Amino acid sequence: MKEVLTNPTAGYYMNRDVFGQTGDFITSPEISQMFGELIAVWLVNEWTKCGRPTPFQIAELGPGRGTLMADILRVFSKFKIAGSDFSVSLVEVSPYLAQVQEKQLGPRQAQEATKLPQGSQHYKQSISFYGSQVRWYNHIADLPRTFTLFLAHEFFDALPIHKLVKVDQGWREVLIDLNREDLTLRFVISRDRTPACLYRLDNESREELEVSPQSLIITQAMAARIHQDGGIGLVIDYGHEGDKTDTFRGFKNHKLHDPLVDPGTADLTADVDFSALKWAATHPRTFEDWKANLTFGTVDQKDFLTRVGINLRLEQLLASCRDEDVALNLKSAHKMLTDPMEMGSKFKFLALYPSVMEKILERYPPPGFF
């Protein structure tokens, strides 16, 4: 999965725009500005609860086209949050998508790694339309140590998984093998236990499951940063609470696609195990990270957006709209984002906070989750 998606020369994400109607799938920020605007309002509200610390950074993991961040920066400008107060940090491994994000976020050509000061952790930097610094990083570990608003929208679903099944001899891993007769790929079951079989399986009642060690490592890294430097995390993705089994699949041209056919030409994805992310966020890697985080959620996208005010925002946009086609598109986008049969129940929201916020959150719980 990692090789198919992020191989430097032939990886699915590395050399093309895979989003939108002309790509293989569409995301919530691409559907309507309302999605990004409400995420921005939520971030401003929670940052304010923390005392509006400056400087701070917004760090997005896997920013796609940069549409979500563009909407967030526009809202931040409305709240008079100046570019000098915060910076934007984008964790992006695709050179092609980094160029797309650069055009989306700022008027200036980005400064590339060859021109950056020696020792820089980022590989590119630019200035946004609103004056804030925008920097691109390969890994979450490279991000500056400061108060951070973490955002991960449809990021964890693309991280590699191991698939495990319970057989008579115990747990075994599903691997991918080459069928020598016709040179096609096929699934096989490992003869013996693999390292992935050591995952938390003592009390597992399912007969098969998917685990993503990289997701746990990144969540723990985010939790440690939030605990040590201050910050908040918001994870948005399709997933479950540790009850699903076989969700690994491919998408091509907005349709399901056999993940073993023509690897590199289709998106590979698996539902996010939010119970595992919450476990990682609250089980720190070191003693210094102890009691690293509080978690809230998950809640359905419909509930989160409704509680934060998407219906009111739709009314405001419709009231100022003079084009009937635009009005119809707004209503259609609202339905797609909130209808349980569309994205409303498929996508989940999870929030992470430092433990020092416990008393404040008891009095002022995060909107969208209550």
Side-chain angles (χ1 to χ4, degrees), residues 220-238:
Q220 285 188 322
M222 181 165 53
R225 290 294 189 99
I226 289 173
H227 175 68
Q228 295 167 4
D229 304 324
I232 296 164
L234 186 63
V235 178
I236 310 162
D237 227 311
Y238 46 85

Side-chain angles (χ1 to χ4, degrees), residues 44-55:
V44 170
N45 186 69
E46 301 311 282
W47 172 66
T48 300
K49 280 184 194 174
C50 297
R52 300 172 69 91
T54 56

Side-chain angles (χ1 to χ4, degrees), residues 69-141:
M69 185 56 67
D71 289 336
I72 289 173
L73 292 180
R74 186 178 68 256
V75 172
F76 269 54
S77 72
K78 301 296 184 183
F79 281 96
K80 308 300 182 185
I81 303 173
S84 59
D85 292 336
F86 73 97
S87 59
V88 176
S89 298
L90 304 178
V91 179
E92 178 58 73
V93 299
S94 168
Y96 180 88
L97 289 177
Q99 290 182 345
V100 175
Q101 295 152 14
E102 172 192 335
K103 294 176 182 177
Q104 179 80 265
L105 296 177
R108 304 181 189 178
Q109 184 175 0
Q111 188 178 7
E112 302 296 337
T114 55
K115 301 177 183 178
L116 295 175
Q118 189 173 5
S120 300
Q121 296 296 312
H122 51 286
Y123 63 85
K124 179 188 288 195
Q125 68 181 21
S126 184
I127 302 292
S128 77
F129 287 109
Y130 306 98
S132 54
Q133 285 279 349
V134 183
R135 299 184 179 94
W136 283 262
Y137 300 83
N138 282 309
H139 307 286
I140 189 173

Side-chain angles (χ1 to χ4, degrees), residues 18 127 262 335:
V18 300
I127 302 292
D262 297 328
K335 182 177 185 296

